[in-house]
Amino acid sequence: MSKGLLLIIFIAILIYPITIFKTKIVSKSERPAYGQKGQGGNLVTNPEELQQLYSNTFDERLKHREMFPDMSDIKVLNEKLFHLNLKLSKTKKSKPWIKKDLLKVLRSLKSGKSRDPHGLIFELFKEETAINDLLDSLLILFNGIKKNQVIPDFLIYGNITSLYKNKGERRDLENERGIFNLVTIRTILDLSLIHISEPTRPLYISYAVFC
């Protein structure tokens, strides 16, 4: 090998050290996990089976659990209080919401959040973006829901993103946390129910639910 070629190689190493020396050997414990453990500890990698595994996992987490026997008295009292409040609410109806109420809620929406199951984002409903026709439509929808006590089907959907907690084995779903992203309009409705009904409550609340 000529001295000229050796000089070129030496200069190349000095100029581009990253390509030569940035290679990192990753241990098995640091490598990304592919698939998740299913029943019996078997590794599930098929996309359809993985989707079913996640669905079953969150169904189990969200299912209704029986109350401890020593808490049954509290359950009975809470149910009586609920039915009493429900009876009182039928005779004391709140006034229809107005645009001023809705704008207060829309101003509290945070930017940069992920899309909802229908592809909508909060920025579409902010005061500087939403046109009057959209605000009027939201008011008609929300007041109709409040009056008739019926929620339309398109508001009941939600996305679940499962994230690793950075603790424990990656392939174990017990070490993942679910973040629930509801339909944007449903979130605005929920915020309206809270902040218009309870005007003294602070506007800074989270839009995500963790499981």
Side-chain angles (χ1 to χ4, degrees):
M1 185 179 294
S2 66
K3 293 182 179 179
L5 182 57
L6 287 173
L7 180 61
I8 292 173
I9 294 174
F10 179 73
I11 293 173
I13 292 175
L14 291 178
I15 296 176
Y16 304 106
I18 295 177
T19 59
I20 305 297
F21 300 111
K22 288 293 285 187
T23 303
K24 178 183 177 183
I25 300 176
V26 180
S27 66
K28 289 184 179 180
S29 61
E30 294 178 315
R31 292 174 187 171
Y34 298 98
Q36 293 291 344
K37 285 185 178 180
Q39 291 183 348
N42 296 324
L43 188 64
V44 178
T45 58
N46 180 279
E48 294 182 357
E49 294 179 358
L50 271 175
Q51 184 177 0
Q52 188 61 49
L53 176 62
Y54 275 96
S55 177
N56 293 341
T57 298
F58 283 98
D59 283 343
E60 177 66 23
R61 292 185 187 182
L62 296 172
K63 76 175 184 180
H64 176 73
R65 289 172 173 78
E66 292 296 329
M67 186 174 290
F68 291 115
D70 57 339
M71 304 289 288
S72 58
D73 292 342
I74 297 177
K75 178 182 178 183
V76 172
L77 291 174
N78 282 332
E79 289 177 346
K80 287 183 178 180
L81 179 61
F82 170 78
H83 289 293
L84 178 60
N85 287 330
L86 184 62
K87 185 181 294 185
L88 292 173
S89 65
K90 292 181 179 179
T91 60
K92 188 180 179 181
K93 296 184 178 180
S94 60
K95 296 180 180 179
W97 294 339
I98 58 177
K99 190 175 294 186
K100 179 182 177 181
D101 299 325
L102 181 60
L103 286 174
K104 180 182 178 182
V105 173
L106 296 180
R107 292 188 191 108
S108 72
L109 298 178
K110 298 180 180 179
S111 301
K113 297 297 181 179
S114 59
R115 297 176 181 269
D116 74 355
H118 301 306
L120 302 179
I121 55 178
F122 285 135
E123 284 81 352
L124 295 173
F125 300 92
K126 283 183 168 289
E127 184 179 6
E128 59 271 19
T129 308
I131 59 177
N132 285 327
D133 289 346
L134 176 57
L135 299 179
D136 292 338
S137 298
L138 285 176
L139 278 175
I140 293 172
L141 174 65
F142 291 169
N143 283 320
I145 292 173
K146 191 163 68 76
K147 178 181 179 181
N148 300 312
Q149 300 293 295
V150 176
I151 296 180
D153 290 341
F154 80 93
L155 294 183
I156 66 176
Y157 295 96
N159 289 336
I160 303 177
T161 302
S162 190
L163 300 178
Y164 175 56
K165 298 178 183 178
N166 291 320
K167 184 178 180 181
E169 186 179 358
R170 280 183 175 272
R171 292 188 177 94
D172 190 345
L173 283 182
E174 292 299 321
N175 298 322
E176 292 194 4
R177 173 186 293 110
I179 300 178
F180 291 67
N181 185 23
L182 303 179
V183 174
T184 297
I185 297 177
R186 169 65 182 273
T187 301
I188 297 173
L189 172 63
D190 292 345
L191 289 171
S192 300
L193 289 169
I194 294 172
H195 298 308
I196 298 176
S197 302
E198 301 180 47
T200 58
R201 179 187 286 257
L203 283 171
Y204 49 87
I205 74 168
S206 174
Y207 305 118
V209 179
F210 297 93
C211 177

